[in-house]
Amino acid sequence: MADRKYWLFKSEPNAYSYADLQKDGVAEWDGVRNYQARNLLRDDIKEGDGILFYHSNAAPMAVVGTAIVVRSGYPDSTAWDPKSAHPDSKSSPDEPRWYMVDIKADQEFKEPVTLEAIKVLPGLEKMMVGQRGARLSVQPVSSEEWNIVTKLGLG
DNA sequence: GCCAACGTTGGC
DNA sequence: GCCAACGTTGGC
C-alpha cells in the first residue's frame, strides 16, 4: 500500500497491554480525549496503517509489537456512555467530539525496543516518544523510523 | 513518590 | 481573551 502510514500508540500495560490486544483480537481504541490525537484518529489514521504498540509507565518502557488498523476513524461512542471510563457530556451521537479506530495485534517483537534504545539509536533521535515531555498518546512515525524499529524488534 | 510539561477550565 | 489554578501524563 503506497500511502500506508505509521503510528505509535501508547498504552499502560496495567490498563491494556499488548497481551490483552492479542487475546482480544480486534480492539476499539477508545477513550482518547485529546484534540491533537483526536484529529489524527478522525482524519489521518486509516485502515491498513501500521502501529507500533508502546508500553508506557512500564518496566521496561518499550515498543513491544506491531498492530494494524482494521477500521478507520469513527465516533467514539463511549463518550456518551455515562458508564464508560471516559464519559464526556459534550459529545453526542449527532455531534461526536471524540473518535476511535479499531486495531488488531500483528507481530509481537522478539526483542522489545526500549525507550532507552530509541533515544540513542541513529535515525530514531527525532521520534516523538523519545522527546522530553511528549505526552501525545497517538503519534506519527516516519516510514524510516518504522523500518528501523520493526527490524530491531523482529530480529 | 516526585515533578516537569502541558492541556483544560474558570474567574475576571 | 488573559492567565492562574488545576488535573493528567508519564519519565525519572
Side-chain angles (χ1 to χ4, degrees):
Chain A
M1 193 176 305
D3 59 351
R4 187 184 194 213
K5 292 202 283 289
Y6 303 101
W7 311 97
L8 180 145
F9 281 20
K10 287 187 199 168
S11 188
E12 303 199 16
N14 289 337
Y16 197 83
S17 68
Y18 192 71
D20 292 326
L21 181 62
Q22 289 175 312
K23 177 161 53 72
D24 290 347
V26 172
E28 296 183 340
W29 206 251
D30 61 22
V32 174
R33 298 290 181 266
N34 169 281
Y35 286 104
Q36 211 178 333
R38 186 282 306 272
N39 293 345
L40 294 175
L41 290 168
R42 186 188 58 192
D43 304 329
D44 297 321
I45 302 181
K46 301 298 180 194
E47 186 178 336
D49 284 358
I51 295 163
L52 298 175
F53 197 97
Y54 175 82
H55 280 170
S56 63
N57 264 325
M61 287 169 284
V63 177
V64 296
T66 66
I68 292 191
V69 178
V70 294
R71 182 174 175 187
S72 304
Y74 64 104
D76 181 348
S77 58
T78 68
W80 51 81
D81 176 0
K83 295 191 294 294
S84 84
H86 306 277
D88 180 355
S89 59
K90 299 191 186 105
S91 189
S92 68
D94 287 340
E95 290 187 66
R97 171 174 297 202
W98 305 112
Y99 282 72
M100 60 182 171
V101 298
D102 290 352
I103 69 174
K104 75 163 191 245
D106 190 16
Q107 294 181 285
E108 181 175 8
F109 283 0
K110 284 186 239 162
E111 203 61 46
V113 178
T114 63
L115 178 61
E116 202 177 3
I118 286 170
K119 284 179 171 171
V120 299
L121 281 166
L124 300 182
E125 304 91 340
K126 294 221 182 89
M127 269 186 83
M128 198 182 285
V129 72
Q131 310 299 313
R132 186 177 174 77
R135 297 182 307 157
L136 198 59
S137 62
V138 171
Q139 309 179 352
V141 171
S142 74
S143 54
E144 291 79 12
E145 291 161 351
W146 170 271
N147 289 337
I148 294 170
V149 172
T150 52
K151 188 168 180 201
L152 279 168
L154 296 170

